[in-house]
Amino acid sequence: MARLNGKATRIAVFSLVIIGLIFFLSNTSGPTYVQSVNKTKSNDANVVDQSQKSSVNGLFPDGRENATFVSLARNEDLWELVSAIRSVEDRFNVKYKYDWVFLNNEPFNDEFKTVMKTLVSGEAKFGVIPKEHWSYPEWISQEKAAQTRHDMKNIIYGSSESYRHMCRYESGFFYRHPLMLNYKYYWRVEPSTLLHCDVNFDVFKFMRENNKDYAFTITIHEFVDTIKTLWQTTKDFIKENPEVIAKDNLEKFVSNDGMESYNLCHYWTNFEVANMDFWRGEAYSKYFEYLDKNGGFFYERWGDAPVHSIAASLFLPQDRVHYFKEIGYFHGPYHNCPIEDSVREENKCMCKPNDDFTWKDYSCTRLYHDVKGLQKPKGWEKHTG
């Protein structure tokens, strides 16, 4: 072997170092490496990512929880969604780098995909909703549905056809999308929303370690004219399927008279964190199919919020439902703004406590605390009305 001179030796050593570094990175699954890879790729296919499917019921190889953010959006929602995602990334996801799934009933354009891939710290995945999930099922009369929209033109979203498709999709299909089958937990984010506070813990890890299946920040009463037959349809379903009712549930959150009537309380689903095993399970699957065949998504204006809320309150034990008091959140016109000084300081909350909706009369969170026997924060009485 020929002897190397000093310069050649240095070049050889440097080359070996570079080769070793490349080998090390190629076998590393830590967050830094995952982020660098994720920035260069996206998933537009409606197929399950086989590399992640094996981890659906456990942690991913890099230690993250088996979870994703999900946003249902149109191309024209881009800039309203950008501000919402920027808020979540800055306040939470920059520390954890969870993936983001974007779903649309039409293909996303290049601008949308480019902006989102740049914006999110995890992997951005883009999926098209199957036509059969965003159209009229065969048992629905489109003439009757059109008449309903005409008759409800003076009710919020009452005349909207696309809104009904959205509510039906969020109620029964988003968690079945091939891209979502990679995951167990999700955090839903919508355009024009905002986080007021830093989130200083892994929300998904909290859900798993504490056996939580559904979590929320804001509650509210539904418009009765949009769901005139939803409760009776629910009671009919329960009569035929009594086994779906969980012991020690939150019945008293949704009914004040022993299930005779619905009190209209629901979790506001523009923010929700949940375990999709619940939606994919037998009880909820049978419930959604029953509701869907009844036709109320089109013949009335059933929203995914009361549907999710009734199911979570009745089909889950109450200790599996959780209120995130420390996650300051806004979706116009309502705020979940922590009123406790210690919570505000610890989480750097930037919202006015007087704007908090939690303890107002139109909110149902006070009732939630009463039903679960939870202690209310000091001074909550000053924020009622």
Side-chain angles (χ1 to χ4, degrees):
M1 179 181 294
R3 184 177 180 180
L4 300 176
N5 60 32
K7 181 177 180 181
T9 300
R10 289 194 296 273
I11 293 173
V13 172
F14 181 76
S15 299
L16 288 173
V17 170
I18 294 298
I19 293 171
L21 181 59
I22 292 172
F23 178 80
F24 172 77
L25 288 177
S26 68
N27 289 277
T28 300
S29 58
T32 302
Y33 177 64
V34 170
Q35 182 183 9
S36 66
V37 172
N38 288 344
K39 284 297 185 181
T40 64
K41 67 176 182 177
S42 64
N43 189 337
D44 298 303
N46 290 334
V47 295
V48 178
D49 182 343
Q50 296 298 325
S51 68
Q52 294 190 353
K53 187 178 180 182
S54 60
S55 300
V56 164
N57 291 313
L59 300 178
F60 286 133
D62 58 18
R64 290 176 303 159
E65 297 293 324
N66 180 15
T68 185
F69 290 94
V70 61
S71 293
L72 181 64
R74 303 163 297 183
N75 287 305
E76 56 265 36
D77 294 327
L78 173 61
W79 297 109
E80 290 182 14
L81 188 57
V82 161
S83 59
I85 293 176
R86 181 76 273 165
S87 173
V88 174
E89 286 288 335
D90 290 347
R91 293 288 197 172
F92 171 78
N93 201 39
V94 69
K95 298 187 287 286
Y96 299 101
K97 300 173 176 58
Y98 282 105
D99 296 344
W100 213 296
V101 173
F102 299 95
L103 300 175
N104 189 353
N105 65 308
E106 298 178 350
F108 285 107
N109 60 36
D110 289 341
E111 181 187 25
F112 190 101
K113 290 190 284 188
T114 298
V115 170
M116 292 308 171
K117 284 188 286 186
T118 303
L119 183 60
V120 303
S121 55
E123 180 177 356
K125 301 183 179 185
F126 305 93
V128 177
I129 296 169
K131 184 177 180 180
E132 60 269 24
H133 294 170
W134 197 279
S135 58
Y136 292 99
E138 61 184 6
W139 57 85
I140 294 296
S141 165
Q142 294 191 40
E143 292 76 14
K144 182 177 178 180
Q147 185 61 49
T148 297
R149 295 195 301 274
H150 178 269
D151 294 342
M152 296 182 68
K153 61 185 178 181
N154 294 323
I155 297 173
I156 185 170
Y157 302 121
S159 63
S160 174
E161 183 177 39
S162 62
Y163 189 83
R164 286 173 170 79
H165 287 304
M166 182 273 290
C167 289
R168 178 173 178 256
Y169 183 75
E170 294 281 28
S171 294
F173 296 108
F174 81 92
Y175 51 88
R176 306 186 204 182
H177 193 283
L179 292 179
M180 296 299 288
L181 294 178
N182 296 330
Y183 306 97
K184 182 173 182 176
Y185 297 97
Y186 70 93
W187 177 339
R188 177 171 161 182
V189 177
E190 292 193 358
S192 302
T193 58
L194 177 71
L195 289 185
H196 288 308
C197 309
D198 287 351
V199 183
N200 296 315
F201 62 98
D202 187 333
V203 169
F204 299 118
K205 182 178 181 180
F206 173 89
M207 296 288 287
R208 177 179 60 82
E209 291 187 341
N210 293 278
N211 295 316
K212 304 299 182 184
D213 288 327
Y214 191 85
F216 66 96
T217 57
I218 291 176
T219 64
I220 196 171
H221 288 81
E222 183 59 293
F223 296 104
V224 65
D225 288 339
T226 67
I227 53 165
K228 289 181 177 179
T229 65
L230 176 59
W231 188 252
Q232 184 58 54
T233 307
T234 298
K235 291 202 297 181
D236 293 342
F237 169 76
I238 292 171
K239 186 177 181 179
E240 296 180 20
N241 303 274
E243 73 280 359
V244 301
I245 299 298
K247 294 181 179 179
D248 192 29
N249 59 37
L250 282 169
E251 171 196 315
K252 293 182 179 179
F253 177 72
V254 292
S255 179
N256 301 331
D257 53 13
M259 294 286 288
E260 284 298 315
S261 64
Y262 179 34
N263 63 13
L264 306 179
C265 283
H266 65 272
Y267 314 112
W268 221 20
T269 53
N270 46 72
F271 174 103
E272 62 180 3
V273 181
N275 180 354
M276 287 181 283
D277 286 352
F278 174 56
W279 307 134
R280 295 165 181 157
E282 182 179 3
Y284 185 79
S285 295
K286 291 170 66 174
Y287 178 56
F288 172 74
E289 182 179 358
Y290 194 94
L291 297 182
D292 202 26
K293 288 294 179 62
N294 181 273
F297 290 107
F298 298 105
Y299 298 152
E300 294 183 18
R301 203 227 66 189
W302 293 354
D304 57 279
V307 171
H308 278 191
S309 301
I310 290 171
S313 297
L314 298 180
F315 305 165
L316 287 172
Q318 64 174 268
D319 64 358
R320 289 184 172 268
V321 180
H322 182 72
Y323 164 54
F324 281 123
K325 69 174 185 178
E326 62 278 272
I327 297 183
Y329 174 75
F330 171 75
H331 183 290
Y334 302 116
H335 301 260
N336 184 57
C337 180
I339 62 174
E340 297 167 280
D341 290 341
S342 59
V343 175
R344 295 176 57 79
E345 292 171 5
E346 179 181 356
N347 300 289
K348 299 180 181 178
C349 296
M350 298 298 170
C351 55
K352 294 169 57 179
N354 288 341
D355 290 337
D356 180 46
F357 180 66
T358 308
W359 311 106
K360 300 288 193 293
D361 290 341
Y362 199 54
S363 168
C364 296
T365 308
R366 191 189 319 177
L367 173 63
Y368 174 85
H369 279 68
D370 291 341
V371 172
K372 293 192 72 170
L374 300 176
Q375 184 176 0
K376 302 179 183 69
K378 183 179 179 181
W380 70 271
E381 301 93 337
K382 298 178 182 178
H383 298 274
T384 61

